[in-house]
Amino acid sequence: MTKLPVSAFIICQNEEAYLGNCIESLAEFSEIIIVDSGSTDGTIALIQSYIEKGWPIRLFHETWRGYAGQKQFALEQCGEPWCFNIDSDERLDAPLRKLLPELVAAPQEIVGWRVARRPYLIGYGYTPEHVQERKNLRLIRKGRGRYDLAQAVHEGIVPDGRVEKAGKGSLLHYRPLIIDEQILKENKYSTLKADQQFAEGKRTKVLKLVFSPLIYFLRLYFKNGLWRCGVSGFIEAMTGAVYAFLTQAKLYQRQALKRRPNQDDASVR
């Protein structure tokens, strides 16, 4: 099998349940960079088993630097002309694997490609090919992009040049969390986002607090097409709206506490 001139890079911690299928989907890649930040389950043993089978994996152990910092470290370890960012719970679908040779043969003025992602929904499975999340920059020429270290969450590569959208194919996101667990994740991410925006001096307004969740829901449900996935799609879109609400509510409360710290004034009421 002819290998593609691409380094996949993955950051992970305790991803034993997901990482194997991610690695399997990278069979055409010349190099796989994995940066572990202290796994205590069977993740390292799993990675070593693939190394022993001859997979082109280079394993690094690095103390957690934050999402952007960790991915920047992983990106810097890549040795191939192209670098592909993929998470442990993602896999390349067949159309994307088929398209990759065309993407890496792009003219020099194209420095990166944005790729769609399709989530796995409990009670439904993977969304159809035309029901995708927003396309994000995942494939970048080496040395033509880096992460914005100021981004605490939803980090992305900042390109140095022209970026295009891949016409076909998707990453498949397999982390089917029940709503109990998913809300905890949205709570964590919204805290990171609110803290980042507060540090940047951003403010929220009542209109944004009220309408941001609605707009988020409408974008996911109608524009992204989650309405096609029944109740499972509705829950996914509503979960996104919860994230949007929590982010704005936390930002508002951080601002409010700065203006007026909490004080028990019951004695004068």
Side-chain angles (χ1 to χ4, degrees), residues 148-173:
D148 179 0
L149 300 184
Q151 298 298 309
V153 67
H154 302 311
E155 67 292 335
I157 301 172
V158 180
D160 174 23
R162 175 180 160 195
V163 173
E164 296 288 344
K165 294 181 179 180
K168 299 178 182 178
S170 312
L171 287 169
L172 302 176
H173 182 216

Side-chain angles (χ1 to χ4, degrees), residues 29-59:
F29 286 44
S30 292
E31 182 181 58
I32 302 172
I33 302 296
I34 301 179
V35 179
D36 184 83
S37 56
S39 292
T40 56
D41 63 354
T43 298
I44 300 302
L46 176 68
I47 297 170
Q48 291 293 347
S49 71
Y50 276 96
I51 293 175
E52 292 169 3
K53 293 174 186 175
W55 284 74
I57 295 173
R58 295 171 59 208
L59 174 61

Side-chain angles (χ1 to χ4, degrees), residues 171-201:
L171 287 169
L172 302 176
H173 182 216
Y174 184 79
R175 192 175 290 266
L177 301 177
I178 60 174
I179 193 69
D180 316 51
E181 299 169 338
Q182 185 64 36
I183 290 299
L184 293 176
K185 181 178 178 180
E186 302 301 341
N187 185 50
K188 173 185 175 182
Y189 283 5
S190 62
T191 295
L192 292 172
K193 189 68 174 179
D195 285 343
Q196 175 188 312
Q197 292 182 344
F198 182 69
E200 293 171 349

Side-chain angles (χ1 to χ4, degrees), residues 92-99 114-118 129 132 135 166-172:
L92 281 72
D93 68 4
L96 181 55
R97 293 172 70 173
K98 184 177 181 180
L99 183 66
R114 299 186 186 278
V115 178
R117 190 171 80 158
R118 293 190 282 134
E129 289 188 19
Q132 304 170 337
K135 293 185 177 182
K168 299 178 182 178
S170 312
L171 287 169
L172 302 176

Side-chain angles (χ1 to χ4, degrees), residues 22-239:
C22 175
I23 294 173
E24 295 284 348
S25 74
L26 303 173
E28 292 90 359
F29 286 44
S30 292
E31 182 181 58
I32 302 172
I33 302 296
I34 301 179
V35 179
D36 184 83
S37 56
S39 292
T40 56
D41 63 354
T43 298
I44 300 302
L46 176 68
I47 297 170
Q48 291 293 347
S49 71
Y50 276 96
I51 293 175
E52 292 169 3
K53 293 174 186 175
W55 284 74
I57 295 173
R58 295 171 59 208
L59 174 61
F60 296 85
H61 301 277
E62 183 67 17
T63 302
W64 183 246
R65 301 178 173 208
Y67 290 105
Q70 201 76 355
K71 287 193 174 183
Q72 179 60 35
F73 175 83
L75 175 60
E76 291 170 357
Q77 313 313 311
C78 295
E80 294 295 319
W82 287 90
C83 310
F84 192 92
N85 167 34
I86 184 169
D87 292 339
S88 301
D89 54 7
E90 296 174 337
R91 302 88 175 81
L92 281 72
D93 68 4
L96 181 55
R97 293 172 70 173
K98 184 177 181 180
L99 183 66
L100 273 174
E102 180 181 329
L103 299 184
V104 299
Q108 287 295 319
E109 61 265 25
I110 297 178
V111 305
W113 290 95
R114 299 186 186 278
V115 178
R117 190 171 80 158
R118 293 190 282 134
Y120 183 99
L121 308 180
I122 292 176
Y124 186 90
Y126 289 115
T127 60
E129 289 188 19
H130 53 281
V131 181
Q132 304 170 337
E133 296 177 357
R134 180 184 301 171
K135 293 185 177 182
N136 290 314
L137 179 55
R138 293 301 193 104
L139 182 61
I140 189 79
R141 290 186 189 272
K142 183 174 174 60
R144 299 303 303 272
R146 62 182 293 107
Y147 284 89
D148 179 0
L149 300 184
Q151 298 298 309
V153 67
H154 302 311
E155 67 292 335
I157 301 172
V158 180
D160 174 23
R162 175 180 160 195
V163 173
E164 296 288 344
K165 294 181 179 180
K168 299 178 182 178
S170 312
L171 287 169
L172 302 176
H173 182 216
Y174 184 79
R175 192 175 290 266
L177 301 177
I178 60 174
I179 193 69
D180 316 51
E181 299 169 338
Q182 185 64 36
I183 290 299
L184 293 176
K185 181 178 178 180
E186 302 301 341
N187 185 50
K188 173 185 175 182
Y189 283 5
S190 62
T191 295
L192 292 172
K193 189 68 174 179
D195 285 343
Q196 175 188 312
Q197 292 182 344
F198 182 69
E200 293 171 349
K202 293 184 178 179
R203 301 182 63 184
T204 191
K205 299 179 180 179
V206 174
L207 286 178
K208 193 168 186 180
L209 179 64
V210 173
F211 289 107
S212 178
L214 176 61
I215 293 171
Y216 207 103
F217 172 84
L218 293 175
R219 176 171 62 82
L220 294 178
Y221 196 65
F222 291 106
K223 184 177 180 181
N224 289 20
L226 283 173
W227 63 269
R228 299 175 182 272
C229 302
V231 174
S232 299
F234 179 80
I235 292 174
E236 181 77 0
M238 281 297 295
T239 304

